[in-house]
Amino acid sequence: MNLKRGHFTLNNKKRNRFIFRVITLSLLAAAIVFTIYSGFAKEKYNVLKVGDYAPDFALVDLDGIEHKLSEYKGQGVFLNFWGTWCAPCKKEMPAMGRQYEVYKDQGVQILAVNIAESDFKVRTFAEQYGMTFPTLIDKTKSVMQTYNVKPLPTTMLINPEGKIVRIITGEMSESDIEGYMEEIKPG
């Protein structure tokens, strides 16, 4: 009887060791897969920086008109990423609208890119805050990912040659907005 008990104990030890090894190897395999996936994801979305050319994109505005960034070459572009729920976005939209009225005829355009909200929410917000500049919706978040936008609001200043000259995260005052538009105004 002791032999059987000893034999049974030995089999339990072997079984436990086997289970421990399988779990350890599974965790190592998962870590390797995660590391490889992270490497590909980093390569896919390179971090943009000042001096880089702004990647082209095409998004549709609230009137169904497609806007391509490349169509604005030769003009300064104030590319603003925002959300209806974002308190700083609510504060800066009226100031952006006032400065847009001053600078739009001087070659500075605003493209306001909403991050994946419904047309109804965006339209209601745009009407409430008097947004007269193109208001686009990034329904798939592909532009947000391409531009590595993390916090909202984030604004990219793009010069007439298509290069990013400044990246601003967080709320801007009206005097900030005015200065930034001067910075990207052509000629």
Side-chain angles (χ1 to χ4, degrees), residues 62-73:
L62 293 174
D63 297 322
I65 299 168
E66 184 180 78
H67 294 262
K68 290 183 180 178
L69 182 62
S70 56
E71 293 171 350
Y72 292 91
K73 193 158 184 157

Side-chain angles (χ1 to χ4, degrees), residues 6 41-42 56 66 72 85 94 96 112 124 126 133 149 168 173 179 183 186:
K42 284 180 186 171
D56 197 16
E66 184 180 78
Y72 292 91
W85 49 266
M96 285 171 50
T124 302
F133 40 82
V149 173
I168 303 114
S173 70
E183 193 173 327

Side-chain angles (χ1 to χ4, degrees), residues 118-138:
S118 73
D119 289 6
F120 177 76
K121 273 186 175 179
V122 174
R123 186 176 304 284
T124 302
F125 184 96
E127 289 170 3
Q128 180 180 357
Y129 290 92
M131 295 166 63
T132 58
F133 40 82
T135 304
L136 318 172
I137 303 175
D138 185 8

Side-chain angles (χ1 to χ4, degrees), residues 139-160:
K139 293 184 184 284
T140 63
K141 298 184 179 181
S142 61
V143 177
M144 180 189 86
Q145 290 173 338
T146 299
Y147 279 80
N148 280 337
V149 173
K150 298 285 186 242
L152 294 180
T154 292
T155 302
M156 307 271 181
L157 301 182
I158 303 168
N159 71 13

Side-chain angles (χ1 to χ4, degrees), residues 16-149:
N16 288 343
R17 249 185 283 152
F18 176 74
I19 291 171
F20 177 76
R21 287 178 182 159
V22 167
I23 290 171
T24 303
L25 288 173
S26 297
L27 289 172
L28 285 172
I32 290 168
V33 168
F34 176 77
T35 302
I36 291 169
Y37 172 78
S38 294
F40 284 129
K42 284 180 186 171
E43 288 174 20
K44 187 175 179 183
Y45 302 113
N46 292 326
V47 176
L48 293 173
K49 57 191 174 306
V50 170
D52 289 346
Y53 281 98
D56 197 16
F57 62 84
L59 292 173
V60 176
D61 70 15
L62 293 174
D63 297 322
I65 299 168
E66 184 180 78
H67 294 262
K68 290 183 180 178
L69 182 62
S70 56
E71 293 171 350
Y72 292 91
K73 193 158 184 157
Q75 299 180 68
V77 177
F78 191 93
L79 182 62
N80 179 262
F81 293 88
W82 64 281
T84 62
W85 49 266
C86 164
C89 300
K90 292 175 185 178
K91 290 181 183 175
E92 67 188 18
M93 282 302 170
M96 285 171 50
R98 287 188 294 274
Q99 292 305 314
Y100 175 68
E101 292 305 316
V102 172
Y103 283 92
K104 69 180 179 181
D105 294 328
Q106 298 179 46
V108 177
Q109 299 299 317
I110 291 179
L111 295 178
V113 179
N114 175 271
I115 307 301
E117 293 186 89
S118 73
D119 289 6
F120 177 76
K121 273 186 175 179
V122 174
R123 186 176 304 284
T124 302
F125 184 96
E127 289 170 3
Q128 180 180 357
Y129 290 92
M131 295 166 63
T132 58
F133 40 82
T135 304
L136 318 172
I137 303 175
D138 185 8
K139 293 184 184 284
T140 63
K141 298 184 179 181
S142 61
V143 177
M144 180 189 86
Q145 290 173 338
T146 299
Y147 279 80
N148 280 337
V149 173

